[in-house]
Amino acid sequence: MPYAEIIIEVANRKLDRVFHYRIPAELEQAIRLGSRVLVPFGNRVVGGFVTGFIEKTNFDNIKDIIKVRNATTFCTEELIKLAHWMAEYYMCPLSTVLQAMIPQVNNYVPTRSEQGVKLSINLQHHEIMAKFKNAPKQKALYEQLSTEGHMKVADLLNKTGASLYSLKVLAQKGIVEFYSWQEKDALTATEDPLPLTDEQQISLKYIKEAIDKRQFTTQLLWGVTGSGKTEVYLQALAYNRAYGKQAIVLLPEIALTEQMIERYKKRFGSEVVAWHSNLSSKKKSEAWAQIVSGQVSIIIGARSAVFTPFTNLGLIIIDEEHEGGYQQETAPKYHTREVALKRGELNKAVVLLGSATPSLETAYNSSIGHYQLLSLKTRVNRKPLPAVKIVDLRDELRQGNFSIFSNYLKQQISVRLETGEQTILFLNRRGYNSFFICRDCGYTIRCKACDISLTYHASSHDLRCHYCGYRQPAEKVCPNCGSLRIRGFGLGTEKVEQEVKSLFPEARIVRLDNDVSNKKGYRQELLKSFQEKKADILVGTQMIAKGLDFHNVTLVGVISADFSLNFPDFRSREKTFQLLTQVAGRAGRGIVQGEVVIQTYLPESDVLLYAQKQDFNEFYQKEIILRKELNYPPFCHIIRVLLMGENEEKVAKVCQGFAQLITSERPEIRDLKILGPAAAPITKLNNMFRWQVILKSEDLEKLRQFVAACLKRYHEQDYLAGQLRWSIDIDPIGML
Ligand code: ADP
Ligand code: ZN
Ligand code: ZN
């Protein structure tokens, strides 16, 4: 095809449409669907994505594509379809979606001897002569490789006497591709499947049936903590692979530890590749090259792995499907589950959602038969779930105990220290104190860029903003009234660590939260040392709440459940229940029965009582009624229009103007509800003031069209609109 359809990378909605460019002969081989290219645009050169090819164009003055930025990036027809769907669904420019979808990887360049290289295209004889007329080394490389198909890089260079540089040039031209050579193949699978429990077997049977049908099916594997969901995933993956089909396994970023990836590698060897944000750019390029080479059949990764350009996708697994981390926070603001379901539909694939505490949306969908429910009600080791005790901190105060530990928790920790069993202490807040306040005038130190209280960190003796990363030395004098009585208040993990140290000087304590550096896999080491019983107590944030499978932990202490319960969000009850159930699930995974202690000032909260029983069903039955009464998801859809700008007045004015426009319209949306305009809960972030309007309706399609039409009209009528940043959230998970 002589012409390409191109979406250019320009942040301007008006330019978010297809442009036509000619493909010059020398680029013909290198250009594919999804290629990132450079094209002339006006008097500039801009980046763009190839989204299609055409024979003819009716436009005049067609310009040439200048160059292909990377010969290895590509995507599939199906992903282009998905991108169009996402742009519409999430109301964002197609170029923004493509940017998120098509990775920016470098050409994978082998530096070690075990790299392989193979032909990616086969040329005709006359093409060879034309292409390599002045490049005999490249020609030699090409011819050698044509006879052998694929070779170890070192062998190829030896045989031809050509340099690595010449080979890289061939790769840049898209004629050859590098990949990891696995001759000795240290990465073959080493582990056999486990014999399944009855419950696991039944679940697997249904998954296999769904795979057999080769139709789009969604299933929810609801299994209590420690019920062996991963083993079910592994065997489902093996079954899917036996059909020659590919699979994507999605995990929340925090759960994507080496340990987890190892579990999959042991089963599937080098057919598994990991894809997440912690990969170095070199590792990323290598992973990409492996995917491109077609030797990978399973990808295990975080959010963006959902875009893996597989052409024969049969199964998508989303572990811990309720996790907030599946929501992308910047445009395109997609929810990974939503996108996975769409890919499942486009590929006629099975989508398997797994969780001990499914999101209300998912649980609702399974209750109405939309998703097939598969359940694992007992733990593999047949141990009961840990016993949970709720401790009323008000009683402790009355008894004169001002420590952050109740007497009961203190006593339980010391018992574990004696028996050599381990303890996990959980608090969903890092730092030393949660805020810094003047005892005389009540002034709190806030981040100037974000209007959020700063957190005191004792280790560095400074105050930090947990949203933008701003730091300043801790104040000694109140900037407001000059009082010296200014100090930290509230709790963070640093303080918990220090208090445990002073209470139990003989105990070996480790702390894990976002402040602990992750250089050279330090966090991993830390967890490993805890697993090897080189420490008695692990203190941490939600980072330690999930996925850890440590058999010697018999006590979990939740220092305070209140922070999460008091969060201003209709999902705070759900999130608290999930978090407490997950943390509780870390206890008693071995032979000895586990115990959980939850400390709170709100012991009568029904959420805590459900968490105590770890009974998802009971929680769900209550919560779903509340959601229905208050008209929240899953009974309606929400669109949040968020406006940001440096000038507060302007932001407020535009937001009010926009809200006025939408309220004066009379769309045919029977149940339309408009909330706001109002300042967002976080009124200022990174020096930007934030205002929002929230729209609710059952009919997302109509709601979206309405919002789109209003946005367009408002931009035409108010020139100020174009000076602000607009952000649209579809069914947002958090609305701060
Ligand atoms: P979940 O993800 O449901 O919390 P895991 O998948 O981590 O649970 O499994 C808990 C533990 O049980 C793991 O140590 C796992 O190796 C083990 N396990 C899972 N299935 C079996 C089985 N069928 N037989 C023996 N052990 C199993
Ligand atoms: Zn003061
Ligand atoms: Zn800040």
Side-chain angles (χ1 to χ4, degrees), residues 194-197 200 224-231 263 380 549 551 589:
L194 297 173
L196 296 180
T197 65
Q200 284 174 321
V224 299
T225 54
S227 60
K229 292 185 284 296
T230 309
E231 186 61 34
R263 270 171 97 171
V380 171
D549 190 23
H551 291 198
R589 295 173 79 91

Side-chain angles (χ1 to χ4, degrees), residues 266-541:
K266 275 192 195 143
R267 221 39 91 74
F268 301 107
S270 56
E271 277 183 53
V272 178
V273 156
W275 185 267
H276 53 87
S277 63
N278 277 340
L279 291 181
S280 65
S281 77
K282 187 161 165 50
K283 277 258 182 258
K284 212 162 196 174
S285 310
E286 184 177 357
W288 183 255
Q290 282 172 278
I291 294 166
V292 171
S293 76
Q295 42 168 343
V296 172
S297 65
I298 299 168
I299 190 118
I300 166 167
R303 284 194 298 264
S304 61
V306 77
F307 301 123
T308 308
F310 282 149
T311 47
N312 194 12
L313 184 61
L315 176 64
I316 305 178
I317 293 172
I318 310 184
D319 191 24
E320 311 284 4
E321 68 85 31
H322 62 278
E323 274 297 319
Y326 283 127
Q327 172 75 45
Q328 168 76 17
E329 300 287 352
T330 53
K333 294 184 163 185
Y334 65 90
H335 195 290
T336 314
R337 187 204 308 127
E338 221 77 67
V339 175
L341 289 171
K342 188 69 193 175
R343 273 203 96 177
E345 187 190 319
L346 291 171
N347 287 282
K348 295 196 170 60
V350 175
V351 179
L352 178 61
L353 311 172
S355 176
T357 53
S359 62
L360 266 258
E361 285 85 347
T362 295
Y364 179 70
N365 272 317
S366 87
S367 81
I368 59 173
H370 229 105
Y371 303 164
Q372 186 181 15
L373 177 66
L374 316 171
S375 43
L376 305 175
K377 294 188 173 127
T378 49
R379 287 186 152 183
V380 171
N381 60 8
R382 305 208 165 270
K383 281 271 162 325
L385 289 169
V388 179
K389 186 177 169 66
I390 295 177
V391 174
D392 186 346
L393 288 175
R394 294 171 307 190
D395 284 346
E396 300 291 315
L397 283 184
R398 270 179 230 126
Q399 290 161 19
N401 175 12
F402 298 101
S403 143
I404 62 172
F405 298 108
S406 58
N407 287 322
Y408 185 75
L409 181 54
K410 221 182 304 182
Q411 179 204 332
Q412 290 304 314
I413 297 174
S414 57
V415 170
R416 297 311 185 289
L417 288 172
E418 271 162 35
T419 56
E421 292 161 27
Q422 291 169 295
T423 298
I424 287 181
L425 295 175
F426 170 83
L427 180 69
N428 206 5
R429 174 121 213 172
R430 62 198 172 90
Y432 191 84
N433 294 124
S434 37
F435 46 95
F436 220 63
I437 188 168
C438 170
R439 302 265 160 132
D440 287 324
C441 73
Y443 182 84
T444 52
I445 313 271
R446 293 173 160 260
C447 174
K448 289 186 186 66
C450 304
D451 199 31
I452 282 167
S453 6
L454 297 179
T455 303
Y456 177 58
H457 287 249
S459 53
S460 43
H461 196 61
D462 59 8
L463 299 173
R464 296 189 207 166
C465 172
H466 284 183
Y467 287 81
C468 74
Y470 165 82
R471 289 179 183 209
Q472 69 168 63
E475 310 270 0
K476 293 193 178 67
V477 180
C478 172
N480 188 43
C481 74
S483 160
L484 295 176
R485 304 203 322 135
I486 183 160
R487 61 200 58 152
F489 210 77
L491 259 188
T493 40
E494 261 187 27
K495 182 157 180 187
V496 175
E497 180 189 18
Q498 197 205 45
E499 298 267 309
V500 195
K501 270 186 184 146
S502 64
L503 264 177
F504 305 105
E506 76 287 7
R508 298 163 302 169
I509 301 156
V510 288
R511 194 187 93 229
L512 186 58
D513 55 37
N514 258 322
D515 295 316
V516 175
S517 138
N518 198 21
K519 278 209 192 94
K520 296 192 181 137
Y522 180 72
R523 292 179 191 169
Q524 219 47 56
E525 280 302 304
L526 215 145
L527 283 177
K528 200 159 155 249
S529 76
F530 185 67
Q531 182 166 30
E532 289 165 357
K533 302 186 198 170
K534 288 178 187 150
D536 306 302
I537 300 174
L538 172 64
V539 177
T541 53

Side-chain angles (χ1 to χ4, degrees), residues 43 64 166 338 446 615 715 724:
N43 48 12
D64 279 8
S166 308
E338 221 77 67
R446 293 173 160 260
D615 188 335
H715 273 75
L724 299 177

Side-chain angles (χ1 to χ4, degrees), residues 88-102:
E88 197 177 314
Y89 191 91
Y90 295 109
M91 299 178 70
C92 69
L94 190 56
S95 65
T96 311
V97 176
L98 293 168
Q99 267 162 5
M101 180 180 277
I102 300 174

Side-chain angles (χ1 to χ4, degrees), residues 115-327:
Q115 302 309 331
V117 60
K118 63 177 189 178
L119 285 187
S120 44
I121 51 173
N122 262 312
L123 301 176
Q124 301 288 337
H125 184 72
H126 63 273
E127 288 174 313
I128 302 170
M129 287 310 167
K131 262 192 198 305
F132 302 129
K133 207 158 48 184
N134 299 317
K137 291 286 188 209
Q138 289 176 34
K139 184 172 172 216
L141 285 167
Y142 176 80
E143 285 177 342
Q144 186 68 42
L145 212 48
S146 310
T147 53
E148 307 220 12
H150 52 92
M151 291 177 78
K152 225 169 158 172
V153 169
D155 294 345
L156 175 62
L157 298 183
N158 265 338
K159 274 206 176 147
T160 55
S163 67
L164 183 58
Y165 176 80
S166 308
L167 190 57
K168 285 188 199 166
V169 173
L170 284 189
Q172 261 152 23
K173 289 182 178 168
I175 297 171
V176 302
E177 275 165 41
F178 293 110
Y179 66 97
S180 315
W181 179 270
Q182 267 129 22
E183 195 176 25
K184 303 170 288 304
D185 220 349
L187 279 172
T188 45
T190 55
E191 197 186 80
D192 291 329
L194 297 173
L196 296 180
T197 65
D198 290 350
E199 281 188 327
Q200 284 174 321
Q201 207 141 29
I202 293 166
S203 295
L204 184 65
K205 182 177 131 263
Y206 285 117
I207 299 168
K208 284 180 173 175
E209 280 176 15
I211 293 173
D212 287 339
K213 282 193 200 133
R214 300 167 186 232
Q215 279 170 8
F216 169 45
T217 318
T218 309
Q219 299 177 313
L220 166 63
L221 180 62
W222 169 57
V224 299
T225 54
S227 60
K229 292 185 284 296
T230 309
E231 186 61 34
V232 176
Y233 302 153
L234 290 168
Q235 300 199 18
L237 288 166
Y239 192 77
N240 178 65
R241 192 184 54 158
Y243 271 114
K245 294 232 167 200
Q246 298 149 325
I248 298 172
V249 180
L250 296 163
L251 298 177
E253 193 86 49
I254 38 169
L256 258 174
T257 56
E258 280 308 313
Q259 276 147 312
M260 198 45 124
I261 294 164
E262 277 314 301
R263 270 171 97 171
Y264 288 82
K265 288 216 161 145
K266 275 192 195 143
R267 221 39 91 74
F268 301 107
S270 56
E271 277 183 53
V272 178
V273 156
W275 185 267
H276 53 87
S277 63
N278 277 340
L279 291 181
S280 65
S281 77
K282 187 161 165 50
K283 277 258 182 258
K284 212 162 196 174
S285 310
E286 184 177 357
W288 183 255
Q290 282 172 278
I291 294 166
V292 171
S293 76
Q295 42 168 343
V296 172
S297 65
I298 299 168
I299 190 118
I300 166 167
R303 284 194 298 264
S304 61
V306 77
F307 301 123
T308 308
F310 282 149
T311 47
N312 194 12
L313 184 61
L315 176 64
I316 305 178
I317 293 172
I318 310 184
D319 191 24
E320 311 284 4
E321 68 85 31
H322 62 278
E323 274 297 319
Y326 283 127
Q327 172 75 45

